[in-house]
Amino acid sequence: DDETYGRALRRVVDFVSGETLPFAVKDASLLCQAVCSTRFASGCSSPYADASPGLDALVPVLVEDIDRRSGKSAAYRLRCLAGAVRYAGSAVLGHGESIKGAIEFALSKKDDRVLFKTGCKLLRHTLASQVEEYIISQSYHPMRLESADSPRPALGASASLKGDRMAWHVPSGEQIDFAAGLIRQFTLTRLDGLSSESGSDGTGAVDLQRWRQSLRVLRYTLRGASGVLLDQDSAAIVSHDDDLCPKERATARLILAASDDTRVMLGGLRRRFCYGVLAIMSMIATDATANGQGAADRDQESQSRIGSPAKQISSDAKVCKETIELVELVATRRGAHYQSGTKKTIWRGQKELLIDFVVSSQSEFIASVLRRSNDASLSDMNLSYKDSENGGKTVPSALVVNRISLTNEALAGNASTQVPRRLRKLRGGPGSVTPSSVFSVGMSLATVQEHLGPSREYAPGETTLEAYEGLVDGLSALTCHDNINVRGDALGILDFSLTRFGWVAKRRLPRLVAAMSLDDDALEGVDGIPSCSRLIDRFNSQNKRTRLAECVKGVTKIIALPRVMKHFMIGEGNRFDLMRIILGTQKILRLVPQEEVPKIVHYANEIFKQYRSKVLITPRITGKDQAAHAESLAFLLGVLREGNSSNEADESEEAVQLHWRDRLLAAWFILTSVDEGDLAVDDSEIVGQIWSACFMLIEEETGQPLQRVALGLLGRLTSLVLVQRGSNLDGPGDDADVALLLRSAFTREKFLEHFAASLVFDHKADTEVGGGHSAQWSSGIEEVIRDSTANLSRRTLFPFLRIGQKSRNFKLAHSQLTESILLAIGREEATAASRVLLAQATKLVDAPPSEDQRNSQMTAAELFSGVARASLLYCADDEERAKVWDEILLPFLNDAILKMPNMYISAFFDAVRYAIHSLPPSHFFPLLQWSVAKIEQTCWQHETGNIEEADEPAVSPAVADRFNVQSKWLFLIQAILAELDIDRRDIKRPWYTGLLVSESRGNDETQSFTAEDGLGKSFDFVNQKLTPILLNALGHPYDKCRDHISSCLFRMCYCHQKLVRECGESPSGDGDPSIAIIDKLVSTRDSNEFSFREKVAAMGTVRKFISCCVHWGDTSRWYHQFLLPLLPITFLSLENIEGEVTQENRGLESDLAKGYRYTVADISSSCIIAYGVNEDRAMVLKVLREMSGQTHWQIRQAVAHFLRCFQGAHKFLLDNDQNEEALSITISMLADERREVSNAAMSTLTGILAASPDESLIELVAKYTRIANKSLKKKKRKAQQPAEQDLTTEEAELRATKERNRAIRQQKSVFLLCAVVMANPYGLPSYVPDALVALSKHSFEQRAALNVREMVKQTFADFRKTHQDRWDEHRQQLTQEQLEALEDVVSTPHYYA
């Protein structure tokens, strides 16, 4: 209301006039802005006329004696005045003369930088307040108006968005005239002064400070008044009403309300500013071109610089910076408020804070849950929250008004993009002929002054659109300036300007290419870029081409801009130009100073990164694109062929390395450019050159990154060949010529040796050698190597099973590459090449110790995998496959496995898996036979009847080595078992490939199980041969072998389950290995055929088998068929084995029990049982009931821990009977004589009770309260109780039995009540106080045993600690008796108690 506003205004006036606070000037300015913002004018005929009583009160105070004050005091008051006028509206007109005087006073202080800048800010805010529209400040407050035509609020009525009106301050013609007068007085006058400044003849000095301040005034003028500076006359703009954006149309109509002089001035003012700034940029660019001198030359010729005014201006960094900022304002700004995007982000944050965010989040969560439920009954549910005012959502009125204001600012921001598009459309559109650029070099200071003056006449073609395009060229020129700060500022504004004038970049591409090619001798200053070829002859005082380096850095930065790169990526011709730019830096690097080389390499790498992120192979439809593509490939091949022969005699070593980098990038360009169209062209010469270059690099660039790129190119070309050939492996296909090139290379033994060696070097750097440091690559090289590795082979989903790769160093892409090459060259050539590759792999396995030993051995496994898979795919029948296995593959595998270190044997695990992946079992049945035979020959076997213990269990080195070999064979057989699968007709590709491309698998006859199928044959062989061997080796002395034995047993059971699942049939009991395996494992503990040490080892094998079932099992059958039978032995293994044994053996047994504790924890929390039937959970509880009665206390403790996890994990799966059974088992263990058991049972019970309903807890507390009260110790009365020695034996035993039963009932009931209390740590249900009263009676020595008293006291202490935060609230829920019972236990006893 007006009264409150008046009091606040008086306080602000007193504050501002009272003292000067220079360090709080920004806050004081905001305070003045708030109090002087526009308000509804009272007593005015217009219902929404604006007024500013605050401005009327503050202006006389702030401008009083301003010229007599100190600089700080004057700046403080003018800054407050700038804040006061910012949103003051039409009230500024009443104080126009005072404000003009304040601005004139501040701008006249040329030597006071702070005061001058304050005057510029005052000018900016005054202009913005008069030419911009903004909401009247009172509209931000919600109010119900008396009527639609009255701004007066209806007192006593609540706010309503529908009833509130938002009033805007809209500039009037008088305000536009006032703003035009300010521009004419302070801005145009200064520009006219620059045009008449002395020194235009080139003989006098220039007042640089005057230039800086004049440009600064112009910049602040544009920041405040750019919204009313139009590109055409307002009347002409209104005539094109259909094509106008909303901001441009509104501004033109506002100007029409002003006077004729103002309309004429504002209609051409933007064009005048554009061409004036363009002239200054042309003069600066003139001095920056080859016609001028570099920075060092100017230092050397300081006397001549003083006599050249243009050079003084162009070398001044502040003038250049002001010019660059003027370009941004005049070309891209259409209003005083431009940060609408940032303000929207702040507005969203305010909205999140001011509205009910928590309720909103919960509403969205509930709505998403209901949508995911797919419940038809919820389809009619009305989720109208946040849906207007009727949905329960309230938004503050200030937020709504602020959002509307931000929308208006966004319209002004969009105008900076829409207006240039309209002007371009008027010129003829994108397809029209673009006129030449109005930007030119060679402009003198006199010409610049002429452009800045008011008398210049513009040609019909000199519109603002041509000026904008020229300004973009001017920014390009300043990007090549010799000052690093100027280059950085110009590059940022250029990048932003291209968002509005992106079409300019497309026309400048040839000029950029010519500059980087040093072929622009005749293009000096064209498009703003100096001639780089002319700068080659320009040296500084140190005889260095510093100016050339500066220009090249600017050009590379321009090319690396995303909007410039977008045009380079369109069309094969533009891509070819970009390749030449990236590969042509070698010549430039030899010319520039050595200290500039790393910088230019970095900038060139930025171009390469942009190209790499945007590269995409597109169809070459036109002949022009095809010719450009062929030309680019020929150029790249020429770069690769040059090698080091082009190095000149005086070339430095660094230049040779950079030339190697160019060859590397050329190979990468070929890698990313070649596609299937290149292999199908009629010109086979180019294709042959690509293959030849690839083979040459593999042979010559040993161990270099260039060799890695060649491997990637070889993989890409081979993949394209196989794609064109299709599924025909033996036929010549349409690629006979291409395959001939590949075949000719891979039939040479020397090349095969280089190929195998290249795979060794293609591994990542070994971080285990040399301190763990990774390879240090030059900038951009790591990305090239990564892309090359990605092109080695086609993508695959291998292994696709739950069994992942065992080796992290095994590179599957190498195996795929080897396989693809062998499949592409033909069967006969592949057979010969396979023998040579395996011979090389044998040498790699025998690699001597070195930093490359591991990589060599990994490569041997990769070569074997690729050779084996390709050989199997070539075979037509089982006889031929058996011959391949026996003559080629198995001899190598036998030798390699024995030589391979055990730490790298996992590479051959992955190699064997990939070799037989997705192939029918009949294809690798010889491998299975051979592996089982190796295990049968080497595996340790238990000798029946030999159960004597050796005194020294140490293993000799020879025996340990034999165990090491056994572990290798046992590990290898797991890979074969993992890949046993159903026979499938399509063996050319994995079965899941068809699913991924939406092809139907079908129900063919290969899905049915018969005894003749490959899987059945393999499975029977494993069951008959391998199963007995493994079961007889359960007690293997070597821990590594026991791991593999348990894994093999699991794989055999898993294979049988997969057979049943896939075929839908269950074989007979004799064919199921799991029956024999489980029977053997269950009987292991009670078996007498093992010695003590062997029994401990066998039990360890059982434990590892259980872990495999828990972590690798994936069906409900696993729990029922495997885990449930082994669950009792899991608990019983926690008990020591009877008999006298040595201390060392007891230690082994202790380690075994520790391992079984982890197994118990794994089974208890396993989720497999969740997919089983209800009887499985009942059987688990039955086992727990049986184990809870065991005499060994550690078993009972494990039962309690198991039950806690099991019941918590399956809480919602157990039915009422099972929950009752779990509760009964837990309660029965509360009274255990071992404290460890009872404490574990109490923890379990606490978790169970915490999730139980209150109704059942009330009954439970009432029941056990009665039991607890009856189980209290009774005081002995000497007169009534007979002495202990007077009792007979029967009476004494009866009394002891009664006392023991009483103690059990007391401990059980007290512990249960304690669990009830602990299950509610922060709440206080009605049954908890009753439990506390009952427990307090058991805290005295005469009434309970020690363990019971300690548990009661601990429970009360924890209860008081967890409830102390809300104790005042909880205290009111307790009666006086309950409080006294609590105090009896928790209070500290003292002498006077």
Side-chain angles (χ1 to χ4, degrees), residues 717-900:
L717 293 173
T718 307
S719 300
L720 294 176
V721 170
L722 292 179
V723 169
Q724 287 187 347
R725 179 177 299 181
S727 60
N728 184 16
L729 297 181
D730 297 327
D734 298 332
D735 57 343
D737 296 336
V738 175
L740 182 61
L741 298 172
L742 184 62
R743 189 180 300 116
S744 62
F746 275 85
T747 52
R748 293 187 288 115
E749 184 174 350
K750 194 66 176 177
F751 178 79
L752 290 173
E753 294 177 1
H754 286 290
F755 173 73
S758 65
L759 296 181
V760 176
F761 292 109
D762 193 43
H763 277 276
K764 295 180 180 178
D766 191 354
T767 57
E768 299 175 0
V769 180
H773 298 290
S774 58
Q776 301 296 318
W777 299 108
S778 177
S779 178
I781 304 303
E782 188 174 359
E783 290 81 1
V784 171
I785 295 176
R786 187 183 303 116
D787 295 341
S788 304
T789 304
N791 282 276
L792 282 174
S793 60
R794 290 177 289 180
R795 299 298 177 88
T796 179
L797 294 180
F798 177 83
F800 197 75
L801 301 174
R802 296 185 62 183
I803 314 163
Q805 289 187 225
K806 295 294 184 181
S807 175
R808 62 180 181 178
N809 300 311
F810 179 84
K811 296 190 74 169
L812 182 64
H814 289 175
S815 299
Q816 293 180 273
L817 176 61
T818 306
E819 174 198 355
S820 301
I821 292 173
L822 294 178
L823 293 177
I825 63 178
R827 180 173 182 177
E828 295 181 1
E829 290 78 6
T831 303
S834 298
R835 296 182 184 275
V836 178
L837 289 176
L838 290 181
Q840 292 299 317
T842 303
K843 296 179 181 179
L844 294 176
V845 172
D846 294 331
S850 65
E851 62 181 5
D852 293 326
Q853 182 186 29
R854 185 198 66 180
N855 296 341
S856 300
Q857 293 169 341
M858 293 291 136
T859 304
E862 296 157 2
L863 289 173
F864 165 77
S865 180
V867 169
R869 186 168 183 84
S871 301
L872 293 177
L873 291 177
Y874 271 124
C875 295
D877 51 32
D878 292 343
E879 181 179 355
E880 190 175 357
R881 280 187 287 270
K883 184 178 179 181
V884 171
W885 280 111
D886 296 337
E887 295 181 1
I888 301 178
L889 301 179
L890 293 181
F892 167 80
L893 196 59
N894 181 70
D895 184 60
I897 292 295
L898 295 177
K899 295 178 180 179
M900 196 76 169

Side-chain angles (χ1 to χ4, degrees), residues 333 336-346 406 409-410:
R333 190 73 62 81
H337 307 287
Y338 60 95
Q339 294 181 342
S340 59
T342 305
K343 292 179 181 179
K344 285 180 182 178
T345 304
I346 299 175
L406 291 178
E409 294 181 13

